[in-house]
Amino acid sequence: MAHRIALLGLNEVVGFDLSAPAQVFGAARAPDETPFYETFTCGVGGLPIRASRGGFQILPDHDLEPLATADTVLVPGTYAALRSGTVEPVVAEALRAAHDRGARIISTCTGASVLAAVGLLDGRRAASHWDWAGRLRRFWPAVEWDFDVLFVDDGDVLTSAGVGAGIDLCLHVVRSDHGSLVANQAARRCVVPPFREGGQAQYIERPVPQGGIGGTKATQSWALDRLADPVSLDEMATHARMSIRTFTRRFRDETGLSPQKWLLQQRVAHARLLLEQTDLSVDLVARRSGLGSATALRQHFQQTVGVAPSAYRRTFRGL
């Protein structure tokens, strides 16, 4: 059976936050196109939900009833709770009941304010939109707010930063539930990057740079095809037909990273995929990902992912 996700829309909802999760989870499918998730858009009384911007309303198909049986409840960004520090009693009751029976609870953007108002974030680390940091800390000081990360996975409660970071969190959930391959395919269907560093270890498949003219995208693709080989900064700059100084500056402008750090990130990411999808030894994984030795792989894997390669493989493959 498909995993059931209830999307709880409240007034002053961020329209993107309400619609994007349905797109991401709907794109996660088995090889025979069987969907892994089923989403239900819900609202109090099934009444129209007013969007925070754009001058429109959303008519949900359901009232709060699906929250009683959903495997996951997702609260999109909303500004209602930020104004008063409270939510409607019927919403609080439904969310607490869902959490108490073991449903996974997710918020994106300012949806974290709803979870905080209900008490589900007390004593937990949580993410939300940085622009509301002052008010969130003032209203809910018992929450360990972190506004420097894209998302926080705290087990049964997950929270993300603003707008686009909600997609990163949704892909993280798909990746955790079904592995890198399914998450990467879902990202491709949605035409979004399959991975952005989120401030914590993320289980990822090797990202594919988007196209571009006159930048470093072509060289990124060229380097990704040669991860097992030594690739120097000089070779990358030569491929891009730029001086090393110009290439490094443009590369950092486009990726936020130096070419060397980006290349290391991609090699570790490819090692993750090989550990998840193949039976190759750790030594072979290290060589094929360009990290050279099992010792180097273990060092970089521990620094980036937070676990040893063998533990990562057991997590995803049950070996």
Side-chain angles (χ1 to χ4, degrees):
M1 294 179 62
H3 185 102
R4 293 165 52 89
I5 300 178
L7 305 175
L8 175 57
L10 302 175
N11 273 329
E12 294 190 79
V13 70
V14 178
F16 180 91
D17 287 354
L18 181 58
S19 60
Q23 293 293 325
V24 174
F25 289 118
R29 301 193 289 269
D32 64 357
E33 295 300 309
T34 299
F36 286 121
Y37 301 93
E38 185 177 8
T39 58
F40 303 84
T41 302
C42 309
V44 176
L47 299 173
I49 303 164
R50 186 172 64 258
S52 61
R53 292 184 176 89
F56 65 93
Q57 295 182 328
I58 299 162
L59 182 62
D61 283 342
H62 304 275
D63 57 16
L64 300 184
E65 185 177 355
L67 274 68
T69 56
D71 302 297
T72 293
V73 176
L74 190 153
V75 182
T78 176
Y79 297 107
L82 285 169
R83 307 201 186 284
S84 64
T86 63
V87 297
E88 293 182 65
V90 65
V91 172
E93 182 181 348
L95 283 172
R96 290 195 193 102
H99 179 259
D100 289 346
R101 66 174 175 78
R104 177 169 56 192
I105 309 296
I106 299 174
S107 70
T108 60
C109 193
T110 52
S113 63
V114 177
L115 303 190
V118 173
L120 297 183
L121 298 183
D122 287 355
R124 289 180 181 264
R125 179 169 167 258
S128 189
H129 198 296
W130 61 267
D131 201 28
W132 292 92
R135 182 166 295 195
L136 288 165
R137 287 190 173 116
R138 186 166 62 253
F139 271 147
W140 299 287
V143 181
E144 298 177 17
W145 295 108
D146 189 340
F147 300 102
D148 296 322
V149 297
L150 292 179
F151 61 81
V152 171
D153 182 342
D154 196 32
D156 59 338
V157 178
L158 301 88
T159 53
S160 84
V163 195
I167 291 180
D168 296 297
L169 178 53
C170 291
L171 287 172
H172 169 76
V173 169
V174 174
R175 194 174 296 117
S176 299
D177 289 349
H178 299 288
S180 297
L181 187 60
V182 173
N184 193 58
Q185 289 172 342
R188 286 179 179 273
R189 289 186 176 112
C190 294
V191 199
V192 296
F195 161 65
R196 288 197 301 161
E197 193 64 56
Q200 63 172 38
Q202 296 185 44
Y203 298 131
I204 64 171
E205 184 169 4
R206 185 176 71 183
V208 179
Q210 298 175 0
I213 299 175
T216 66
K217 301 299 185 184
T219 300
Q220 291 177 45
S221 295
W222 175 84
L224 286 174
D225 289 336
R226 293 162 176 78
L227 288 179
D229 303 323
V231 177
S232 68
L233 175 60
D234 183 67
E235 288 173 320
M236 295 176 74
T238 298
H239 180 273
R241 298 182 180 180
M242 301 177 190
S243 69
I244 290 179
R245 182 176 179 179
T246 298
F247 175 76
T248 301
R249 175 175 54 80
R250 290 193 181 179
F251 198 96
R252 189 181 293 276
D253 288 343
E254 292 179 20
T255 68
L257 300 170
S258 69
Q260 297 92 332
K261 186 172 182 179
W262 176 88
L263 193 57
L264 176 61
Q265 187 182 80
Q266 310 318 311
R267 283 176 167 149
V268 173
H270 189 52
R272 294 173 175 176
L273 180 62
L274 293 176
L275 288 167
E276 182 181 333
Q277 299 290 328
T278 76
D279 295 317
L280 295 173
S281 67
V282 172
D283 285 311
L284 276 176
V285 169
R287 289 200 292 272
R288 292 195 181 184
S289 59
L291 294 170
S293 67
T295 300
L297 171 61
R298 292 188 184 98
Q299 176 186 348
H300 292 302
F301 215 83
Q302 190 72 43
Q303 290 175 347
T304 304
V305 184
V307 297
S310 57
Y312 181 91
R313 173 169 272 171
R314 283 196 300 271
T315 297
F316 280 107
R317 309 195 69 223
L319 299 180

